[in-house]
Amino acid sequence: MSDARNALVVDDERDIRELLTLTLGRMGLRVDTAASLDQAREQLARQRYDLCLTDMRLPDGSGLELIGEIVRRFPHTPVAMITAHGNVEAAVEALKAGAFDFVSKPVELSVLRGLVTHALRLEAPATPAAAATLPPAPGSGRLLGDSPALVALRATIAKVARSQAPVYILGESGVGKELVARTIHEQGARAAGPFVPVNCGAIPAELMESEFFGHKKGSFTGAHADKPGLFQAAHGGTLFLDEIAELPLPMQVKLLRAIQEKTVRPVGAANEVAVDVRILSATHKDLSTQVADGRFRHDLYYRLNVIELRVPPLRERTEDLPALAAAILARLASEQKRPAPQLGADALAALAAHPFPGNVRELENLLERALALADTDAQTLGAEDLNLPVPPAATGRPASPPPAAAAPAPAPLETEESGGDASPALPGYIEELERAAIMKALEENRWNRTKAAVQLGITFRALRYKLKKLGIE
């Protein structure tokens, strides 16, 4: 590290100041110290720092006050909180106030060195924010669009990327929560480290502890060799816990401890292993409701939800559809080694009118199907090529059901007044009901057809037949 890097250590305990000064000095930093808020303010008025470490309790106030002042006055100076061992509430409050990270007393030097290394790896101050306001290049596979919702999302990502605080990503299925997590990782100080995504709903409950924390050889039947877990695989980088709501309660307890203590104990091991990971989590469910129902631990929710990031559904940013569709078609056509067709005005209008319950994932599926069925030399795809579901209103479905009091007996499907007009629309109406139910089951089961068939109460073969019949890919 360059000799130009400098740090400010704020702590009223002389021994702590000397330990941190010695440790940071060996890392090539020049260190100034302060024993109170007032002394820290004086130092900050005279000197700009690349890093600040502050104790929680100071003789003339709280370290939270100092964090707030640094965030307001020096937004590009990472500041970390020194907390008492096990004081999770203080650590969370510090992160919410804008702290880069926290370290517990007694200070573990390996953890401290990792924190400092990540803090000083942050990009130049203006780079992430500036990059966040610019739309990515077409076909880059990143967050595409110029809608206000996307511009605001990218700006927020640029801010949270500079922190080590856990981020809870909330959004419907198919909006791109993993893409948001990857973007946070790539814009942050851990970009050079691994990004490890894991679907919590895809791991059998009996294997979860081994998968997350690893195991030692011989610890259980089938453990023929030592195996590192997901936490160890993400060491120095980011662990993305997708569908976090699917974790069983016993595993939630163990995950909470791993996050708080920054250590894991492999199955069958006698000692714990220190891990340095940033936790990002996501779900399409409402975790607050899960907490209220007792299906998700309040303390784990409190620890994960330091920063909440909502990803808007596609229907809230329809102005991004042309850019998204063009990028997806270009990628798909490149994979198939064929020219990329354009979408006609009628196709774009049809997409804009579609509600997209499956969001970007559904858009990808629609375009992949349209491209597969189109002629290889087609230059334009029209609305008919998209084969979008017909809105219920167009199939004769009533806008709203009649009041129960007005219909003491079931109404006939066909009356003399109807002239038989309802009959031809009935098959289409039933198909739309089936399509909606199947799409809902697929989305809730992350497109696992076996699980979706079980939820729908039909066989896998019947589901496969209906998918083919309804044109659902």
Side-chain angles (χ1 to χ4, degrees), residues 434-454:
E434 285 188 333
R435 183 189 300 276
I438 290 172
M439 286 295 296
K440 184 173 184 292
L442 287 170
E443 289 294 337
E444 290 180 351
N445 290 282
R446 298 185 61 78
W447 294 86
N448 184 312
R449 297 184 180 188
T450 303
K451 291 183 178 180
V454 173

Side-chain angles (χ1 to χ4, degrees), residues 349-419:
L351 289 176
H354 185 59
F356 280 107
N359 293 290
V360 179
R361 187 184 295 124
E362 182 184 356
L363 175 63
E364 291 179 342
N365 291 338
L366 285 171
L367 294 176
E368 185 172 11
R369 181 179 62 200
L371 191 63
L373 297 177
D375 295 335
T376 55
D377 57 351
Q379 297 182 355
T380 304
L381 297 179
E384 68 280 0
D385 297 311
L386 298 176
N387 194 26
L388 289 170
V390 180
T395 64
R397 183 179 181 179
S400 59
L413 292 175
E414 211 175 89
T415 65
E416 292 180 0
E417 290 81 0
S418 71

Side-chain angles (χ1 to χ4, degrees), residues 119 133 262-263 290 320 336 394:
T133 60
K262 298 185 178 181
T263 60
Q290 302 276 100
D320 293 333
Q336 299 178 22

Side-chain angles (χ1 to χ4, degrees), residues 149 171-172 175 310-318 355-356 359-360:
E172 298 176 4
V175 294
R310 178 180 177 270
V311 184
L314 192 53
R315 62 181 174 274
E316 291 182 9
R317 53 185 190 101
T318 53
F356 280 107
N359 293 290
V360 179

Side-chain angles (χ1 to χ4, degrees), residues 242-263:
D242 198 8
E243 297 304 340
I244 188 75
E246 303 301 324
L247 280 179
L249 285 169
M251 190 61 202
Q252 292 178 27
V253 178
K254 296 171 182 176
L255 177 62
L256 175 64
R257 188 179 187 284
I259 294 173
Q260 289 181 173
E261 302 299 327
K262 298 185 178 181
T263 60

Side-chain angles (χ1 to χ4, degrees), residues 103-166:
V103 61
S104 299
K105 293 182 180 179
V107 178
E108 189 172 333
L109 296 186
S110 61
V111 174
L112 175 65
R113 283 191 286 265
L115 182 154
V116 173
T117 300
H118 290 310
L120 298 181
R121 277 182 186 164
L122 286 173
E123 299 178 14
T127 304
T133 60
L134 298 175
S140 67
R142 287 294 167 251
L143 295 166
L144 296 171
D146 298 316
S147 64
L150 247 295
V151 171
L153 177 63
R154 286 200 295 265
T156 304
I157 286 173
K159 292 178 182 177
V160 303
R162 293 182 59 81
S163 168
Q164 295 298 292

